Amino acid sequence: MLCQIVLFDGFDPLDVIAPYEVLFAGGMAAPGALAVELVSAEGTREVPSGTGPLSLRAVAALDPRRADLVLVPGAAGRLGALSDPGAPGDEDSIPARLGRALRTGLPALLKEALDREGLTVATVCGGSGLLAMAGLIAGRHATTHHMSVGLLDTGGAVAIDARVVDDGDLVTGAGVTSGLDLGLYLLERELGPRVAHAVEKLFAHERRGTVWRATGPVPAGF
């Protein structure tokens, strides 16, 4: 399977690198089962992050026809005004950077990815907020960074207070370090628990929390 991790101007590096390393290690543990590449909506280019001079290179274009898994990070920057991402003087805020990503070809490609049967879209931190701002996950269960829940609410998504939420072909992670947990869960889901456990041991990181799914009885009194 092919995982394409999306880069856009102002992305959060940890949202990208944490799941990239986990999934890449999974591909090493199960040779031929998983490949990972960094992509952008525009194709091959250097993509500046939201943390100063750091950039990463996209090696290909985001292509939902090729990918089996598309992973969307959030942006790095000041929190900013969720209600007015284009406010003057707030150009480097997280909502503003997500808003600029929405004015590229990315939303149409992400819609294509969500519409394609058999493809899973995953997000880390504000990546789910980007999908919500694009109007792509209304009515879907999702999580995000605790300070960005308003982005999910505005986009009509059902916000869940969990570290990882599995809503079928949409799997979302919460705050930035949850990219490790998301990556390990995706390995378990797609390649099996033995591969996920081997990578967990390699990274000396134990996945935290229960992955939330809309299954089983509804708890009473909570």
Side-chain angles (χ1 to χ4, degrees):
M1 67 181 298
L2 173 64
C3 173
Q4 292 193 322
I5 300 181
V6 179
L7 303 178
F8 57 84
D9 291 3
F11 71 90
D12 189 307
L14 189 55
D15 289 2
V16 171
I17 294 300
Y20 179 92
E21 289 214 36
V22 169
L23 295 170
F24 183 83
M28 294 178 62
L34 175 62
V36 190
E37 61 184 22
L38 301 181
V39 301
S40 79
E42 298 79 16
T44 303
R45 69 182 181 99
E46 293 291 325
V47 186
S49 76
T51 56
L54 177 64
S55 65
L56 292 175
R57 182 168 180 78
V59 300
L62 171 60
D63 186 351
R65 297 166 298 178
R66 292 179 57 226
D68 305 289
L69 172 63
V70 171
L71 192 148
V72 185
R78 297 187 305 276
L79 180 60
L82 299 181
S83 60
D84 188 8
D90 217 14
E91 293 83 1
D92 293 331
S93 71
I94 290 172
R97 284 174 168 158
L98 294 177
R100 286 196 291 274
L102 295 178
R103 296 193 290 273
T104 69
L106 182 57
L109 289 168
L110 293 176
K111 182 180 187 305
E112 184 180 345
L114 285 163
D115 288 345
R116 185 189 142 197
E117 186 176 354
L119 189 153
T120 296
V121 174
T123 68
V124 181
C125 198
S128 57
L130 190 154
L131 295 180
M133 290 170 72
L136 298 177
I137 56 171
R140 303 293 300 270
H141 300 98
T143 188
T144 190
H145 191 284
H146 68 276
M147 297 179 73
S148 300
V149 172
L151 294 177
L152 296 184
D153 294 338
T154 299
V158 182
I160 303 295
D161 183 13
R163 193 159 175 83
V164 176
V165 171
D166 183 338
D167 197 45
D169 62 356
L170 175 67
V171 183
T172 55
V176 286
T177 59
S178 69
L180 291 168
D181 302 73
L182 177 78
L184 288 166
Y185 174 66
L186 290 171
L187 285 183
E188 179 181 353
R189 193 176 100 148
E190 302 298 334
L191 301 184
R194 287 187 289 187
V195 170
H197 183 253
V199 175
E200 188 176 80
K201 288 179 64 179
L202 175 66
F203 279 58
H205 175 80
E206 294 185 3
R207 204 177 80 209
R208 291 168 46 196
T210 300
V211 174
W212 190 95
R213 303 179 193 86
T215 60
V218 177
F222 286 84

